[in-house]
Amino acid sequence: MADRVCLVHYHEIGLKGKNRSTFENQLVTNLHRALRSFDVADIKRISGHILVTAADGMATDDMAHAISRVPGVARVSVAYVCRQDPEEYCAAAVRALGEAGEFGSFKVHARRSSTNYELHTLDINRLVGSVLCEKFPNKKVEMHHPDVTVIVMVVNASVYVYTDTGVGVGGLPVGTAGKVVTLLSSGFDSPVATWMVGRRGAVCVPVHFSGRPMTADTSEYLCQDIINAMAPSGMVGRLYVVPFGQKQREISLCVPQSLRIITYRRVMFAVAERIARMEGAKALVTGESLGQVASQTLENISVVNEMVSMPVLRPLIGSDKQEIMRRAEEIGTYDISAQDAADCCTLFMPRRPETHAKPDMVHEAWDSFDHDAMIEELVQSVEYVDFDQCPSYKPPRQLRARHRELAPARFERRGDKDATGEKGAATE
């Protein structure tokens, strides 16, 4: 009996030139991490694909589903692998079609990357098709829009036969596009923005600004849950937490009410950039969507942007809330983000925030307090938690010795999540 394997297909990686093997090797590494809970015998590159073999020779649909959630995977097929023996792969085709469920029509589509095999793809189509017509006499052959397509693919010295293909997340393997720092809240937007940039191959380092000690630390637990929900993608290695509540109070006492949010965000950007420099990250990422809230108008984005010298990526800038929430459902963060949690987004918020900030007014407010000292204090108070999810993440040398000191015990799992409701977007 032929073994069942997972055949991983990719799109963008196949367009790479001389460095294509780098992307393929990174994808193999990431698949090893994603499949740690499965008994996998081997993961290796073959011509234009990645081949995943189970220890017992019987790859499962659960294994294929886990593979489909890894960035860089366009599609994944559970296939029977055979020798280049017509009798063997025809038998596998009969079995694959028999497992396809209810169908009224089918066709055979042969592919061949091994030109040393004597049979042409048209010959393979006729050979396998004749056997299937004999075994399934009541089913119709339909060349244009069949219910089921039986794929017979000749690669190297093997033949892979399958009918069903699961859609993957696509993109590029995490670890091939450098490192970014993302501003992460427990709302809907920033987790989706983090996932979208990670899907393009970036290692993501989230920074969460907590309202602690002025609010409970619930949002910190939710951010950890969000990262765990995105664990199959393998894009996050560490979460930084910045206790921001007391500094927000200080800002609210000396800055005009209408400019509080802008000032909060300027401080956040400055702190995030400091962390990014320590991490060796090349950009910041936010969940801003143009015009969605007061802080996300072009004028306000501009005066906040001037705080940093590195690029700021905004993958959601042209998305509306419904699009963002649909994506949150797809990646598994929606239910977590829907939970109510007081955080810095809702702390000391003005009744009428400025929507079209004038630079001169913002600079005057900025100079009304010792912002340099505040930024330095926040950087020194940063806490972090490491996640064993991203094989490409390397912690910065400056912070390795401080891990035991800073990793907060409050991040132990707790079960007091309740209520629902959408949070603000000050850190989105």
Side-chain angles (χ1 to χ4, degrees):
M1 184 176 67
D3 287 348
R4 295 180 86 207
V5 298
C6 285
L7 196 62
V8 180
H9 313 257
Y10 47 74
H11 286 162
E12 289 190 63
I13 296 176
L15 302 176
K16 302 300 178 182
K18 295 181 180 179
N19 61 346
R20 172 173 162 176
S21 62
T22 301
F23 289 81
E24 291 177 328
N25 289 334
Q26 185 65 59
L27 181 55
V28 169
T29 298
N30 295 348
L31 287 172
H32 274 291
R33 183 212 61 83
L35 297 175
R36 286 179 299 182
S37 61
F38 296 90
D39 194 3
V40 175
D42 192 22
I43 302 176
K44 65 181 182 180
R45 298 158 52 198
I46 61 174
S47 179
H49 300 80
I50 305 293
L51 182 65
V52 181
T53 307
D56 61 0
M58 292 302 292
T60 64
D61 291 339
D62 288 340
M63 183 183 293
H65 177 69
I67 292 171
S68 71
R69 300 187 67 184
V70 177
V73 175
R75 295 178 292 117
V76 57
S77 307
V78 179
Y80 288 103
V81 57
C82 316
R83 295 171 299 173
Q84 291 182 359
D85 179 350
E87 184 176 344
E88 189 172 333
Y89 60 72
C90 284
V94 170
R95 187 172 181 185
L97 187 57
E99 295 171 350
E102 294 294 327
F103 68 96
S105 61
F106 72 93
K107 79 170 184 178
V108 179
H109 180 60
R111 301 172 183 171
R112 188 182 62 158
S113 63
S114 297
T115 56
N116 60 347
Y117 185 51
E118 64 273 12
L119 291 182
H120 191 272
T121 54
L122 294 178
D123 298 323
I124 298 173
N125 285 339
R126 283 191 290 265
L127 175 63
V128 176
S130 64
V131 173
L132 293 178
C133 287
E134 181 180 342
K135 295 294 185 179
F136 298 90
N138 298 324
K139 305 302 181 183
K140 180 182 177 182
V141 176
E142 175 60 61
M143 299 308 297
H144 297 293
H145 301 288
D147 297 329
V148 179
T149 299
V150 179
I151 306 294
V152 182
M153 188 167 66
V154 182
V155 179
N156 299 334
S158 300
V159 179
Y160 300 89
V161 182
Y162 58 93
T163 60
D164 187 33
T165 296
V167 178
V169 298
L172 296 171
V174 174
T176 59
K179 185 187 289 186
V180 298
V181 161
T182 75
L183 278 70
L184 180 71
S185 78
S186 58
F188 291 105
D189 301 349
S190 55
V192 173
T194 298
W195 184 87
M196 291 181 69
V197 174
R199 179 177 171 268
R200 298 307 305 162
V203 173
C204 296
V205 183
V207 177
H208 175 63
F209 288 86
S210 170
R212 177 163 49 92
M214 311 305 292
T215 68
D217 54 6
T218 309
S219 66
E220 300 171 27
Y221 290 92
L222 295 180
C223 284
Q224 180 173 253
D225 290 344
I226 285 168
I227 292 171
N228 286 329
M230 296 192 295
S233 64
M235 60 183 62
V236 176
R238 171 175 288 185
L239 166 69
Y240 286 96
V241 176
V242 183
F244 191 39
Q246 182 60 42
K247 300 306 180 186
Q248 284 184 269
R249 181 178 181 275
E250 294 175 15
I251 291 171
S252 71
L253 294 175
C254 58
V255 170
Q257 185 179 120
S258 63
L259 297 177
R260 284 181 191 171
I261 295 178
I262 293 172
T263 307
Y264 297 158
R265 290 188 62 76
R266 285 169 66 94
V267 173
M268 290 177 188
F269 271 47
V271 173
E273 186 180 41
R274 287 280 297 276
I275 294 173
R277 299 293 182 195
M278 287 189 290
E279 282 280 352
K282 303 303 181 185
L284 302 181
V285 178
T286 77
E288 291 165 306
S289 172
L290 187 60
Q292 184 171 267
V293 294
S295 64
Q296 296 173 13
T297 63
L298 286 177
E299 292 86 349
N300 291 359
I301 288 174
S302 176
V303 293
V304 172
N305 237 35
E306 67 183 17
M307 288 304 302
V308 297
S309 58
M310 63 173 48
V312 180
L313 309 181
R314 296 177 170 90
L316 305 182
I317 197 69
S319 302
D320 63 35
K321 198 68 175 182
Q322 296 304 312
E323 293 171 325
I324 295 168
M325 292 170 75
R326 283 196 296 271
R327 180 57 65 88
E329 288 181 324
E330 293 174 7
I331 66 177
T333 60
Y334 179 91
D335 290 338
I336 303 168
S337 297
Q339 298 182 61
D340 190 26
D343 61 8
C344 71
C345 297
T346 56
L347 190 60
F348 303 116
M349 298 299 285
R351 291 193 183 123
R352 294 183 179 178
E354 180 61 62
T355 56
H356 302 287
K358 304 288 192 297
D360 291 344
M361 296 174 59
V362 172
H363 297 158
E364 183 179 349
W366 184 247
D367 291 335
S368 65
F369 66 100
D370 191 349
H371 46 80
D372 289 334
M374 178 178 291
I375 292 167
E376 184 61 35
E377 287 180 34
L378 288 170
V379 171
Q380 293 302 317
S381 69
V382 69
E383 302 167 354
Y384 62 89
V385 178
D386 285 326
F387 295 84
D388 184 20
Q389 298 177 3
C390 181
S392 298
Y393 177 74
K394 300 295 185 293
R397 293 181 179 276
Q398 301 97 307
L399 296 178
R400 285 179 182 172
R402 299 173 64 187
H403 180 268
R404 293 180 182 275
E405 173 188 346
L406 291 181
R410 68 177 59 86
F411 280 95
E412 295 177 2
R413 180 80 176 182
R414 74 177 187 184
D416 58 348
K417 313 289 174 55
D418 55 14
T420 59
E422 185 175 333
K423 280 163 281 305
T427 60
E428 294 289 3

